[in-house]
Amino acid sequence: KLKTPVGRGRAFLRYCLVHRQLAESLQLCLLDPESLSEWYYARSPFLSPQRRAEILGSLYELDGVTFQLAL
């Protein structure tokens, strides 16, 4: 099941949702602006501090939701 990049990505998302770590994991990825600019286009919401804060705020709200997904 985890042989493709898509399968590994889905497994990562399921794991983060079940363990309530999605916002924290994404926040760690967004700490390095130089790396972000290499991976995303200039109009990406991840490169805008305001949009990034909105996205992370929404993801932190998911911490209140209990997910029971098969890992």
Side-chain angles (χ1 to χ4, degrees), residues 16-17 20-24 53-67:
C16 287
L17 287 171
R20 299 177 177 179
Q21 296 292 316
L22 184 57
E24 289 181 27
E54 292 172 2
I55 293 168
L56 289 172
S58 297
L59 291 177
Y60 272 111
E61 289 180 15
L62 283 177
D63 284 350
V65 178
T66 301
F67 288 91

Side-chain angles (χ1 to χ4, degrees), residues 2 15 21 32 51 61 71:
L2 301 178
Y15 179 86
Q21 296 292 316
D32 184 12
R51 296 287 182 208
E61 289 180 15
L71 299 177

Side-chain angles (χ1 to χ4, degrees), residues 29-30 32-44 46-47:
C29 294
L30 299 176
D32 184 12
E34 292 177 16
S35 294
L36 286 177
S37 62
E38 290 178 20
W39 285 93
Y40 294 102
Y41 294 110
R43 296 186 61 191
S44 170
F46 291 127
L47 296 178

Side-chain angles (χ1 to χ4, degrees), residues 7-30:
R8 287 189 290 274
R10 288 178 180 168
F12 174 73
L13 289 175
R14 286 191 304 266
Y15 179 86
C16 287
L17 287 171
V18 168
H19 294 285
R20 299 177 177 179
Q21 296 292 316
L22 184 57
E24 289 181 27
S25 299
L26 183 60
Q27 189 172 19
L28 288 173
C29 294
L30 299 176

